[in-house]
Amino acid sequence: MSEVPAAGVTAQTFGQLPDGREVELYRLVNDNGMEMTVMSLGGTIVSLKTPDAEGNQADIVLGFDSLEDYLAPEYRKANPYFGALIGRYGNRIAGGQFEIDGQTWQVPQNDGNNSLHGGSRGFDQRLWEVSPVEEGSGVGVVLTLTSEDGDQGYPGQLEAEVRYTLTDDNALDIHYQATTTATTPVNLTQHSYFNLEGEGNGDILDHQLTLNADAFTPVDDSLIPTGEIRSVADTPFDFRQPTAIGARIDEDNQQLQRGQGYDHNFVLKREAGDDLVLAARVEAPDSGRVMEVYTTEPGIQFYSGNFLDGSLEGKAGQPYGHRSGLALETQHYPDSPNQADFPSTLLSPGETWLSHTRYRFSTR
């Protein structure tokens, strides 16, 4: 059994950016000894330690021990967005273009011809303001960021706030909100990669995944949704019952070939009036760790770490090889600004964009 650290929030300097600004690292510990560290650069979750079935703590998110590793050219070139907050628009926008009231807006094409995760300098590369909070139900931090009018080509000044709370029932609660001075697309999400056996401990192909989704949004060759809402029935995308991630990942299937594995948005089952719904459940066979994902969002992007290639070495001193982590990004659908039949991501002045996601951790 691991020693339980003292509950609370503490802060220390993690390093400096090239322009001299300091990056802070916040350590959150709940009453059960579950521990998370978050750095102000990108609102990035650097570590997340949870117990296995024997009570032994291990870090279950991919990332690095030093700021220098996050700033290194090889990381920025690959940019897997380990643990980062994503904005203004999580996922892809076709051609980096969209229209609002007949006006065309151009944002950076940083993923082939498309825009990915907010552009070439998205919220993952911004220095957030961070304030610790201690509540009756746990400990947390509030992160705030002002995205100026025209930032990465997006209209309107966006005021974003994200609250991470490590609750005393071993959940990570994430509350998002945003306001704008001009109508703009908003689709914030969190991009942690999980390995419930412990980061650096092999791949995630034996993890058992359940997704509360009867349909997904198939993609074209550039991973932009075609507009179709396709049933998962009789396809490798049917995770309605617990299924090993690796069971069908290499099947001869056009969608799997386009994503080089799973890199798709799943349409969550939701009844009218539902708030938080169970979106996903993951179980690791050896450690017995279980993660459940609840969200108010209509979709979840399941990414099986297909582009990890061993070139980045993580906190455990092990290279992050092919499919060594998985991401479950709660979100609106990719390319929604160009897909009239998808739920809208437009936020207008006078409105407040709200979203809530909970990652709950337990053991088998």
Side-chain angles (χ1 to χ4, degrees):
M1 183 79 69
S2 302
E3 182 179 348
V4 177
V9 182
T10 55
Q12 66 183 71
T13 300
F14 198 43
Q16 286 189 337
L17 297 176
D19 62 10
R21 289 179 298 165
E22 287 196 345
V23 176
E24 298 295 317
L25 185 71
Y26 292 81
R27 182 180 185 233
L28 289 66
V29 182
N30 74 1
D31 281 347
N32 301 319
M34 182 176 166
E35 179 183 335
M36 180 172 79
T37 58
V38 179
M39 71 168 167
S40 53
L41 180 64
T44 300
I45 296 174
V46 172
S47 69
L48 181 61
K49 296 177 180 178
T50 67
D52 64 11
E54 303 298 323
N56 298 306
Q57 298 270 69
D59 190 351
I60 60 168
V61 295
L62 276 56
F64 306 115
D65 280 328
S66 73
L67 178 63
E68 288 72 25
D69 285 330
Y70 287 98
L71 300 176
E74 55 268 29
Y75 178 74
R76 282 299 168 200
K77 182 179 179 181
N79 203 1
Y81 302 91
F82 287 158
L85 288 174
I86 304 298
R88 288 186 191 188
Y89 198 92
N91 220 308
R92 294 174 174 85
I93 296 177
Q97 287 190 346
F98 52 88
E99 285 190 8
I100 300 175
D101 297 329
Q103 181 176 352
T104 298
W105 297 88
Q106 181 70 55
V107 296
Q109 296 167 293
N110 62 318
D111 182 55
N113 291 325
N114 303 319
S115 184
L116 176 65
H117 292 334
S120 52
R121 187 172 178 266
F123 289 3
D124 62 296
Q125 297 182 52
R126 301 287 296 276
L127 196 61
W128 293 67
E129 294 289 333
V130 185
S131 301
V133 290
E134 297 195 28
E135 305 166 334
S137 60
V139 295
V141 287
V142 176
L143 303 101
T144 56
L145 177 70
T146 298
S147 175
E148 301 294 344
D149 185 15
D151 183 13
Q152 294 291 285
Y154 285 90
Q157 177 171 301
L158 192 81
E159 301 291 341
E161 178 182 298
V162 180
R163 180 186 290 250
Y164 291 140
T165 304
L166 209 56
T167 70
D168 290 333
D169 61 352
N170 283 6
L172 168 58
D173 254 338
I174 308 176
H175 287 269
Y176 307 83
Q177 70 176 55
T179 58
T180 182
T181 59
T183 301
T184 189
V186 177
N187 192 29
L188 306 185
T189 191
Q190 221 293 330
H191 207 301
S192 285
Y193 289 66
F194 298 94
N195 185 326
L196 299 185
E197 303 291 9
E199 64 87 23
N201 191 10
D203 62 42
I204 45 78
L205 296 178
D206 287 340
H207 284 46
Q208 297 284 316
L209 173 66
T210 310
L211 293 172
N212 183 25
D214 291 332
F216 73 107
T217 51
V219 295
D220 64 18
D221 287 337
S222 68
L223 301 182
I224 293 294
T226 62
E228 178 188 359
I229 304 292
R230 182 180 297 177
S231 171
V232 300
D234 301 318
T235 77
F237 294 82
D238 190 350
F239 286 94
R240 291 175 293 183
Q241 298 297 321
T243 305
I245 290 170
R248 301 165 301 191
I249 199 168
D250 293 320
E251 284 189 8
D252 183 12
N253 175 277
Q254 183 188 62
Q255 285 298 307
L256 289 175
Q257 291 164 359
R258 287 176 173 174
Q260 298 186 39
Y262 296 104
D263 192 4
H264 293 76
N265 169 68
F266 287 76
V267 177
L268 297 176
K269 293 171 62 178
R270 181 182 295 278
E271 301 295 334
D274 280 349
D275 184 28
L276 280 177
V277 296
L278 178 63
R281 183 184 187 276
V282 188
E283 181 178 320
D286 292 337
S287 69
R289 289 187 181 89
V290 174
M291 179 176 74
E292 296 170 315
V293 186
Y294 299 81
T295 189
T296 57
E297 289 296 298
I300 190 166
Q301 183 87 4
F302 167 41
Y303 173 55
S304 52
N306 311 313
F307 299 105
L308 299 174
D309 61 5
S311 60
L312 300 173
E313 185 176 292
K315 291 165 285 187
Q318 299 297 319
Y320 289 143
H322 192 46
R323 297 170 178 159
S324 58
L326 66 97
L328 290 165
E329 307 150 60
T330 57
Q331 58 169 26
H332 272 56
Y333 308 164
D335 198 37
S336 289
N338 296 309
Q339 305 269 359
D341 293 333
F342 287 0
S344 175
T345 55
L346 292 182
L347 176 68
S348 296
E351 299 175 341
T352 300
W353 181 85
L354 297 170
S355 182
H356 179 196
T357 290
R358 175 180 296 149
Y359 294 89
R360 185 176 180 277
F361 300 92
S362 59
T363 56
R364 184 176 57 236

